[in-house]
Amino acid sequence: MALQASSFLCASGSVSSRHQRRSITATISLPKLRTSNLSQPKLPTRGLVEELALSSATTTKTYLERQSNSPKNNTSPRLQPQANDSDPMVIAKLYAIMEAVADRVEMHKNIGEQRNNWNSLLLTSINAITLAAATMTGIAATSSISAPMMAVKTASTLMYLSATGMLLIMNKLQPSQLVEEQRNASRLFKQLLGQIHTLVSIGNPTVVDVKEAMEKVLALDRAYPLPLIGVMLEKFPSAVEPAVWWPQQRRRKMKGNNGKMDWNGWNGKLEEEMRELVGIMERKDKADYLRLAEKAVKLNKALALAGPLLTGLAAVGSAFAGSSSLGAWATMLGVVGGALASIVNTVEHGGQVGMVFEMYRSNAGFFRLMEESVESNLNESDVGRRENGELFEMKVALQLGRSLSELRDLAASSSRKGETDEEFANKLF
């Protein structure tokens, strides 16, 4: 009504333009909006492990409540999953396994950092003790025999003996090798965590999947134990074998194909390609890493024996330094032996020879795992129980650091050239 009145007055010209503008403005004015400070949502900054560890219990509880309150489950006291729905108890068990795996990732990471500190601190301390003892032996030999010089000589002998005992313990434990074990364990547990998460997200897990996940966790626990007493891995094995951190390959369950008969992505050419790759990895990659591991463990063993032997001889030399009969030779043994011991100790633990051996052994285990995975698929006569051929080929190519075309060319060239001119299958490490 106010707008119509204003228009009529404007047409008649009886009201001034100033009054007209005031009337229109008063009529169409809008109410003021209340403004408030809007806080922007914070983006999550946690990693995958922390997110899964914090939210897995809540997610499992919500899932179980939703399943129990659904109409299809209200008719029966027990949960009855449909054909395309996973059992809620299976989901709950998988989330419990994911929590345990996330905890193991943190455990191995923290203990690995602690043992890395052991390696650096023990190396610095033993070298400092050894060089100080060598210096004191030289000072005692160049001075006249007196009570203060006898005290210096005795102190150098005790320091050499202490360094010998510390070296024996350090060489037995091999802290750098322990650190590499924890690194591998943390990486493999993260990989297992991702696999279970993918299975829960896009798969249709069953009780068999829960059992397989449990076996993988326990196999990793056996392969990379945390305690040092009783279950520690052998640091100087007589025969070098690839590391094994996976359970025995089992027969796969039948995959649903909706009644269609197909080859599940497999064909004769792909099977022949996979057989060629297994032969290449067996003859070239795994054999080469085992050969390098044998050299590394032999070098490490020699250095582990030489270090304490040199400090022990230096202790004997420092005890007889300055005597009338064996003074010159004892002094040389005490000073030179200490210097050589510090060099040997630096090469062994500063160069982390034990870590290098564990790395080679783990790489050989990686190729053994790939061989067993390929052979378990090829030995399965029912292609419906195999992993999808196209997906499996892509996984193998990615693990070897190759494209699909490079992988096929490698298998083709191996069949043409023979074993002598083969190249290594791996291009990633």
Side-chain angles (χ1 to χ4, degrees):
M1 292 296 292
L3 287 174
Q4 293 176 358
S6 298
S7 300
F8 177 78
L9 291 174
C10 181
S12 63
S14 61
V15 183
S16 64
S17 60
R18 183 178 179 182
H19 182 269
Q20 177 186 1
R21 287 193 300 269
R22 187 186 302 115
S23 177
I24 294 174
T25 304
T27 304
I28 64 174
S29 60
L30 299 175
K32 294 183 180 181
L33 297 175
R34 293 183 179 180
T35 59
S36 60
N37 295 328
L38 298 178
S39 60
Q40 296 181 353
K42 296 183 179 180
L43 296 176
T45 57
R46 298 188 183 94
L48 174 62
V49 175
E50 295 179 1
E51 289 291 342
L52 291 174
L54 292 174
S55 64
S56 58
T58 305
T59 307
T60 306
K61 182 179 179 181
T62 305
Y63 185 87
L64 291 174
E65 289 177 352
R66 185 170 67 250
Q67 291 294 328
S68 60
N69 295 329
S70 61
K72 65 181 180 181
N73 291 323
N74 290 335
T75 58
S76 174
R78 299 183 62 185
L79 296 176
Q80 300 293 337
Q82 300 295 324
N84 296 326
D85 193 13
S86 299
D87 187 350
M89 186 54 63
V90 171
I91 299 295
K93 290 180 180 179
L94 286 176
Y95 270 104
I97 295 175
M98 290 168 68
E99 291 179 2
V101 171
D103 182 63
R104 279 170 169 79
V105 170
E106 293 299 323
M107 288 171 58
H108 284 279
K109 179 183 176 182
N110 295 337
I111 292 178
E113 293 176 356
Q114 179 193 51
R115 291 173 178 177
N116 189 34
N117 291 334
W118 287 1
N119 187 61
S120 59
L121 293 175
L122 285 173
L123 172 64
T124 303
S125 301
I126 293 175
N127 279 348
I129 292 173
T130 303
L131 293 176
T135 303
M136 294 170 66
T137 301
I139 294 173
T142 56
S143 304
S144 58
I145 300 176
S146 60
M149 288 301 103
M150 287 296 296
V152 170
K153 186 169 66 173
T154 303
S156 66
T157 303
L158 292 176
M159 292 174 70
Y160 272 133
L161 293 176
S162 300
T164 302
M166 294 172 66
L167 266 178
L168 289 173
I169 297 175
M170 189 176 183
N171 293 344
K172 175 67 176 178
L173 296 178
Q174 291 293 315
S176 65
Q177 186 171 344
L178 292 174
V179 173
E180 183 65 16
E181 292 173 9
Q182 308 315 313
R183 289 196 196 103
N184 290 333
S186 180
R187 177 180 61 85
L188 293 171
F189 272 117
K190 285 182 181 179
Q191 184 181 15
L192 178 59
L193 187 65
Q195 292 173 359
I196 301 176
H197 184 264
T198 303
L199 178 63
V200 172
S201 300
I202 64 175
N204 187 20
T206 61
V207 178
V208 177
D209 296 316
V210 175
K211 185 177 181 180
E212 290 180 354
M214 284 285 294
E215 290 178 351
K216 289 179 180 179
V217 172
L218 297 178
L220 276 171
D221 287 339
R222 291 190 298 269
Y224 299 104
L226 288 172
L228 297 179
I229 300 176
V231 294
M232 184 178 68
L233 298 180
E234 178 62 38
K235 306 306 176 187
F236 306 101
S238 56
V240 178
E241 295 290 339
V244 177
W245 60 81
W246 60 92
Q248 183 180 2
Q249 297 285 345
R250 294 180 178 273
R251 191 182 185 190
R252 294 171 173 80
K253 61 181 180 180
M254 176 67 73
K255 300 177 178 61
N257 55 5
N258 298 325
K260 298 179 181 179
M261 297 300 295
D262 55 28
W263 286 90
N264 196 21
W266 289 88
N267 53 54
K269 184 178 180 181
L270 180 58
E271 291 181 353
E272 186 63 27
E273 174 188 332
M274 290 295 113
R275 290 190 179 93
E276 289 291 339
L277 289 175
V278 168
I280 294 173
M281 290 186 289
E282 177 71 25
R283 295 187 297 267
K284 301 289 290 187
D285 298 85
K286 189 175 78 171
D288 185 65
Y289 278 112
L290 287 177
R291 178 179 57 83
L292 293 173
E294 289 178 357
K295 291 184 177 181
V297 74
K298 289 179 181 179
L299 174 61
N300 197 27
K301 187 182 295 185
L303 294 174
L305 293 175
L309 179 61
L310 288 171
T311 53
L313 292 176
V316 175
S318 65
F320 291 97
S323 62
S324 56
S325 57
L326 301 175
W329 288 103
T331 302
M332 183 176 295
L333 184 62
V335 175
V336 176
L340 290 177
S342 63
I343 295 174
V344 169
N345 189 32
T346 301
V347 172
E348 180 184 6
H349 299 288
Q352 299 187 4
V353 182
M355 181 273 292
V356 174
F357 162 68
E358 181 62 28
M359 180 183 66
Y360 288 150
R361 193 175 73 93
S362 178
N363 290 342
F366 166 77
F367 290 107
R368 179 172 175 177
L369 174 60
M370 290 193 65
E371 292 174 11
E372 290 189 7
S373 180
V374 173
E375 289 174 351
S376 66
N377 277 280
L378 295 178
N379 293 334
E380 180 58 63
S381 58
D382 187 355
V383 293
R385 296 183 183 272
R386 297 181 184 179
E387 187 174 355
N388 182 268
E390 296 180 4
L391 178 61
F392 185 73
E393 184 184 21
M394 185 187 70
K395 287 182 179 180
V396 172
L398 289 174
Q399 289 173 339
L400 295 178
R402 293 177 177 270
S403 64
L404 290 176
S405 59
E406 289 177 342
L407 192 71
R408 293 162 186 165
D409 292 341
L410 174 65
S413 62
S414 174
S415 61
R416 291 194 308 265
K417 295 179 181 179
E419 300 180 7
T420 56
D421 299 329
E422 283 179 344
E423 62 174 310
F424 288 93
N426 179 51
K427 294 183 67 177
L428 189 60
F429 53 84

